[in-house]
Amino acid sequence: MTLRLGYGTNGLTDLRLDDALGLLADLGYDGVGLTLDHMHLDPLAPDLTARTRHVARRLTELGLGVTVETGARYVLDPRRKHGPSLLDPDPGARAARTALLVRAVDVAADLGAHAVHCFSGITPPGTTTDAAWQRLTDALAPVLDAAIRTGIPLAIEPEPGHLLATLADFHHLRTLLGDPEPLGLTLDIGHCQCLEPAPPVDCVKAAAPWLRHVQIEDMRRGVHEHLPFGDGEIDFPPVLEALAATGYGGLTVVELPRHSHAGPELARTSLEFLRSATRATNGATAC
């Protein structure tokens, strides 16, 4: 199976969204990881429905698939990165994050997206682990209801430093929620290298039944820094082979949010790298 490759708009924030989509289509990407943010389909600005329709038409014209991502740093609070989170001590603040995710699910349905990505957030000071998990499950309930209503899977991402940081934490959440059908996993390949006890290839194999979204970049062990391909430690051909073997049909999206200054060039070189790594895998398999 051939992987469907995409690039995240959080690595193209210096481009207008129309221009970013055109760039990715011209380069030969299959899709885009669309982060809802003030510069790209702002989820809080007026006329969201009309703007979403325009983006949907543009995606169709360009033949691009899409995943909706919700990792915008300051879309809700201009002073707190990723604030408020699903774990915020203030119930009203948590509700604002929940409402944003519900809106993201509706936008995803209008775009024909294959999943909505999210993450738990960092456990606030003074919050017990049990209380944090309770807040997370309560805050996700309306989002999962929206996922059921629209048929759009919710793909939560294990994020280093967050309450839900590992694959084991994802399975803990599944258990707490009663293993709801629309709850799936965003697997970030770099995070596997950074944090998981197993190597990325084994993480892919273990995560296969729950994969709804994949992010990919290079990374080093123990350092949460998204790196261009070749600047980290990951051996990519076996990882790509394992991903293809799972039968995963969604997008595998390059995630370089701190490299937007070089976004167009990195989009080009990243696709070349992944295609080369895929050819190396295919060549090894043929031998």
Side-chain angles (χ1 to χ4, degrees), residues 126-173:
T127 302
T128 67
T129 301
D130 286 346
W133 283 109
Q134 187 63 56
R135 288 177 192 172
L136 181 61
T137 56
D138 290 347
L140 283 176
V143 189
L144 291 167
D145 288 344
I148 292 170
R149 170 172 53 81
T150 59
I152 303 293
L154 182 67
I156 194 162
E157 177 187 7
E159 182 80 24
H162 284 210
L163 173 68
L164 198 156
T166 65
L167 290 174
D169 294 331
F170 167 71
H171 292 300
H172 180 59
L173 178 65

Side-chain angles (χ1 to χ4, degrees), residues 206-258:
W210 299 278
L211 283 182
R212 300 296 179 269
H213 183 41
V214 175
Q215 296 173 343
I216 193 166
E217 69 286 314
D218 217 338
M219 206 168 285
R220 300 186 184 98
R221 184 69 179 168
V223 183
H224 184 202
E225 181 183 4
H226 291 234
L227 300 172
F229 298 113
D231 288 359
E233 301 169 339
I234 300 174
D235 181 15
F236 281 97
V239 173
L240 297 175
E241 182 179 15
L243 264 177
T246 67
Y248 167 68
L251 292 172
T252 297
V253 171
V254 178
E255 184 80 359
L256 293 172
R258 297 188 179 183

Side-chain angles (χ1 to χ4, degrees), residues 2 47 58 69 111 155 223 231:
T2 301
D47 301 322
R58 182 76 168 144
E69 301 191 355
L111 293 177
V223 183
D231 288 359

Side-chain angles (χ1 to χ4, degrees), residues 62-222:
L62 296 171
L64 293 173
V66 61
T67 303
V68 170
E69 301 191 355
T70 61
R73 293 184 178 96
Y74 297 101
V75 70
L76 284 177
D77 189 329
R79 293 173 176 83
R80 286 192 298 159
K81 181 182 176 182
H82 297 313
S85 79
L86 297 170
L87 309 180
D88 199 286
D90 179 359
R94 294 198 300 275
R97 176 61 63 175
T98 295
L100 177 66
L101 294 180
V102 170
R103 183 169 295 190
V105 172
D106 288 332
V107 168
D110 290 341
L111 293 177
H114 73 82
V116 170
H117 148 278
C118 70
F119 44 67
S120 69
I122 297 168
T123 303
T127 302
T128 67
T129 301
D130 286 346
W133 283 109
Q134 187 63 56
R135 288 177 192 172
L136 181 61
T137 56
D138 290 347
L140 283 176
V143 189
L144 291 167
D145 288 344
I148 292 170
R149 170 172 53 81
T150 59
I152 303 293
L154 182 67
I156 194 162
E157 177 187 7
E159 182 80 24
H162 284 210
L163 173 68
L164 198 156
T166 65
L167 290 174
D169 294 331
F170 167 71
H171 292 300
H172 180 59
L173 178 65
R174 286 178 51 238
T175 300
L176 291 176
L177 288 169
D179 198 15
E181 190 277 333
L183 180 66
L185 175 70
T186 292
L187 186 70
D188 187 299
I189 301 302
H191 294 174
C192 296
Q193 176 69 23
C194 172
L195 191 65
E196 294 286 348
V201 168
D202 291 343
C203 290
V204 169
K205 294 174 182 177
W210 299 278
L211 283 182
R212 300 296 179 269
H213 183 41
V214 175
Q215 296 173 343
I216 193 166
E217 69 286 314
D218 217 338
M219 206 168 285
R220 300 186 184 98
R221 184 69 179 168

